[in-house]
Amino acid sequence: MKVVICGAGQVGFGIAERLAAEQNDVSIIDTSPRLIQAITDTLDVRGFVGHGSHPDVLARAGLDAADMLIAVTLHDEVNMIACQVGHALFDVPTKIARVRAQSYLQGHWRDLFSRDHLPIDVVISPEVEVGEMVLRRLSLPGAIDTVSFADGNVVVAGVVCLDDCPVLDTPLRQLTDLFPDLRAVVVAVNRKGKVFVPRSTDSLLAGDTAYFVAQADQVTRTLSIFGHDEPQAHRIVIGGGGNIGLYVARELELRNPRARVKLIEADPARAEAIAQQLSKTVVLRGSALDRAILEEATVGDADTMIAVTNDDRVNILSCLLSRELGARRMLSLLNDPNYPAFARGLGIDAYVNPRQITVSKILQHVRKGRIRGVHSLLNGAGEVIEAEALETSPLVGKPLKELDLFDGMRIGAVIRGGRVLLPRGDTVIHARDRVVLFALANRVKRVEQLFRVSLEFF
C-alpha cells in the first residue's frame, strides 16, 4: 500500500513507524526540516518539506498514485484542505483527517464532511477518543487499559498482577476449571518488557501485566479474580480544562449522576468559559501543581485524580502531589511514549496515550480485510483486532484445535448473532462470525490474510 502522511509530529511518526515496518510505501510531509530529517534518518520512508495542503507538495510526495492520505498536522484546517485537494486533484481512494476543534464535529454540522462538501472518509477526534478512554478507566478502576469491541459486547482490559493476585502460579487452563462460567480469556502477557501470547500451560507471575478479552458483563468479576475489585470512582478531581478535561466533566455529569467533580484550570478566561458550560462541576481557577488549589479541591478525599493538561510533566507531578495529599488513584495523560514505565514506577495507577489511541483508530482503516476494530497495545508490540470471518477464510468450518494458524496470536471471543462465545478447542467459526483476537506485531499481516476477500492463501 502507498500512503502519504501530512504531519511528522508524534502521531505522524507513530503511523509512519507502523506502516513502514509492515513494508508499506510511505511518504511524509511536514513544514519542519528538522522533523523530516529526524524521521527519514530513523525510518524507511520518504520525507518532503512543505505544506501538506499545497497541491505541488502533495504531487511531489506521490499522492497521484497513493491508496490513502492521512492528514494529522497540528492544524485542523490544513488537514481538511489536504483531503479536499487529495479528492479533487488526485482522486485518492481513502482520506483520513484529524480534527480537534469540537465545533466542526457538532451533530447539526454532520454534512460538512460529506463527499459533496469536504470529502473526508474518516474524521478522527483525539479529544473525544481520549475522553472516552478516560471514562472507561473510571468505570473500571482496576484496569490499566480498556477498549470495547463488538458494539460494546466485548471488552479488552489490561491488569497488573500484584503479589497478592489470587491466580498467580496457576496454569491458565486451570482457570476454566476454577471458574467454569467465567467468560474471559487471557490473550497477552507483558513480562519484564517482553510481550508474548500465553499457552494454556503458562502461569502468571507477580509483576506481569495480563490482557484479557471478556464479555462486557464479566469484566468487573474478572478484575476481581485478578485481585482488583476497586469500586467505581464518584469523587473526581480533573487537572486541566482543555478539550479533554471539559469532555470528561460534561460526560460525567450526563452519565454518572452520583459523581462529584471538581475541575482545575489555570487560564482565567478558559476557567470562566468552562464554568458556563457545566452545570454541576465545581471549576477552580489555578494550577494543578498548586498545593493550596488541590487542597481547596479536596483532592485528599478524591477517589481519582485525573491529570489531563497539555504538559506531561505537570500531569505526573500533579498526580504525585495528589497522592501525597491522600487521593486514592491517579490517572495521567502522557504523550511521550518514554514516560509510562517511569510514571508507573512512581505510583501512577494508569495512563492514557493520545498518540496510541489515534494510531489505533487509523490502523482500523489501514488494515486490509474485514477489519472492524483495532487497538494497539504496549507501544505497538501487538494489536487487538476485531474482524469478520468470510466463507473463504481458513478459519471457517474446522474446530480451532485442528487449525495450525495461531502462533503469535490468540482468539479471545467469537460473536455470533449477538451472542459472545468463549473459544475452546472444539469451537467452529462460521462465516460472518465476528472474531476478537490478539496478534503480535509480526503476525498482523497474517491476520489480514485470514480475513481478506481472497483465495490467495489456498
Side-chain angles (χ1 to χ4, degrees):
M1 177 184 289
K2 181 173 178 57
V3 181
V4 175
I5 302 171
C6 298
Q10 288 191 356
V11 172
F13 186 97
I15 298 165
E17 183 178 36
R18 296 297 298 279
L19 296 182
E22 296 170 11
Q23 309 304 312
N24 292 287
D25 183 352
V26 179
S27 298
I28 190 161
I29 301 168
D30 200 280
T31 56
S32 169
R34 179 183 59 82
L35 289 178
I36 291 297
Q37 184 67 49
I39 201 168
T40 53
D41 286 346
T42 307
L43 306 177
D44 183 18
V45 302
R46 295 184 299 153
F48 299 87
V49 177
H51 291 273
S53 59
H54 289 186
D56 59 328
V57 178
L58 291 167
R60 284 195 290 116
L63 192 61
D64 57 331
D67 302 292
M68 181 177 293
L69 171 64
I70 303 173
V72 287
T73 75
L74 295 175
H75 306 288
D76 292 350
E77 291 74 18
V78 172
N79 297 336
M80 292 188 288
I81 294 301
C83 289
Q84 176 73 67
V85 172
H87 170 75
L89 300 183
F90 300 98
D91 197 24
V92 181
T94 303
K95 300 163 290 294
I96 299 175
R98 178 172 65 174
V99 178
R100 304 177 68 178
Q102 298 304 295
S103 176
Y104 289 121
L105 306 174
Q106 294 178 17
H108 51 284
W109 308 127
R110 64 172 57 93
D111 289 339
L112 175 63
F113 301 115
S114 68
R115 188 173 182 84
D116 294 331
H117 298 103
L118 276 173
I120 302 175
D121 301 293
V122 181
V123 175
I124 295 175
S125 172
E127 284 76 10
V128 172
E129 300 293 337
V130 172
E132 287 296 324
M133 180 69 76
V134 170
L135 292 166
R136 286 196 294 270
R137 299 285 176 82
L138 288 174
S139 65
L140 296 169
I144 63 166
D145 198 358
T146 58
V147 63
S148 298
F149 290 95
D151 303 319
N153 292 314
V154 172
V155 172
V156 179
V159 60
V160 176
C161 300
L162 302 175
D163 291 333
D164 58 353
C165 175
V167 295
L168 291 183
D169 303 314
T170 304
L172 294 178
R173 65 185 175 193
Q174 290 187 19
L175 295 183
T176 302
D177 300 329
L178 292 170
F179 309 100
D181 59 340
L182 182 66
R183 309 188 69 77
V185 177
V186 177
V187 295
V189 175
N190 180 17
R191 179 172 295 161
K192 296 181 178 179
K194 180 181 179 181
V195 182
F196 64 94
V197 175
R199 301 178 183 273
S200 61
T201 55
D202 289 333
S203 301
L204 296 172
L205 305 179
D208 286 352
T209 300
Y211 287 84
F212 63 82
V213 178
Q215 186 170 302
D217 60 3
Q218 293 275 302
V219 178
T220 300
R221 182 188 175 204
T222 306
L223 289 170
S224 179
I225 288 171
F226 280 93
H228 290 273
D229 54 358
E230 293 92 335
Q232 185 173 345
H234 295 295
R235 291 172 296 183
I236 300 161
V237 176
I238 302 173
N243 287 334
I244 296 172
L246 175 59
Y247 181 88
V248 171
R250 184 189 294 123
E251 292 303 309
L252 283 172
E253 289 187 349
L254 294 173
R255 303 182 195 183
N256 187 353
R258 293 179 57 194
R260 296 164 56 191
V261 183
K262 296 178 181 179
L263 187 151
I264 301 170
E265 168 56 37
D267 181 78
R270 177 68 178 174
E272 183 176 349
I274 290 172
Q276 293 176 356
Q277 297 181 56
L278 299 171
S279 57
K280 296 186 293 183
T281 301
V282 176
V283 179
L284 302 174
R285 191 179 71 188
S287 169
L289 292 178
D290 187 330
R291 189 184 188 95
I293 289 293
L294 291 173
E295 290 176 341
E296 185 178 350
T298 60
V299 74
D301 296 327
D303 297 319
T304 303
M305 168 63 181
I306 305 171
V308 287
T309 75
N310 290 325
D311 190 321
D312 287 358
R313 290 166 293 185
V314 170
N315 294 336
I316 291 172
L317 291 173
S318 65
C319 281
L320 297 181
L321 183 54
S322 298
R323 177 178 290 280
E324 181 184 325
L325 291 171
R328 294 182 183 178
R329 288 187 296 275
M330 319 297 134
L331 197 162
S332 177
L333 181 75
L334 297 176
N335 289 281
D336 192 320
N338 298 310
Y339 280 167
F342 165 75
R344 191 170 296 157
L346 293 175
I348 294 175
D349 302 283
Y351 71 93
V352 289
N353 185 325
R355 165 181 150 168
Q356 179 174 300
I357 294 169
T358 305
V359 170
S360 295
K361 195 72 175 179
I362 290 172
L363 287 176
Q364 176 179 338
H365 303 280
V366 171
R367 295 283 172 249
K368 299 182 178 68
R370 293 293 184 89
I371 306 299
R372 292 177 173 267
V374 173
H375 182 68
S376 178
L377 293 179
L378 299 163
N379 204 26
E383 294 178 15
V384 181
I385 297 173
E386 178 190 349
E388 180 183 349
L390 304 171
E391 290 85 349
T392 55
S393 171
L395 294 175
V396 171
K398 293 182 180 180
L400 294 180
K401 62 185 176 184
E402 297 181 11
L403 299 174
D404 185 22
L405 298 169
F406 300 111
D407 180 38
M409 50 185 169
R410 186 169 188 182
I411 292 177
V414 178
I415 300 90
R416 180 179 302 154
R419 292 191 306 123
V420 179
L421 308 178
L422 191 70
R424 301 185 185 278
D426 58 357
T427 300
V428 177
I429 294 177
H430 298 172
R432 291 180 294 281
D433 282 353
R434 291 160 73 175
V435 179
V436 177
L437 58 84
F438 172 82
L440 295 174
N442 61 1
R443 300 297 287 165
V444 169
K445 284 294 183 184
R446 179 57 174 153
V447 174
E448 290 182 332
Q449 289 181 337
L450 292 174
F451 294 96
R452 290 185 67 176
V453 185
S454 172
L455 299 177
E456 64 185 25
F457 38 71
F458 285 101

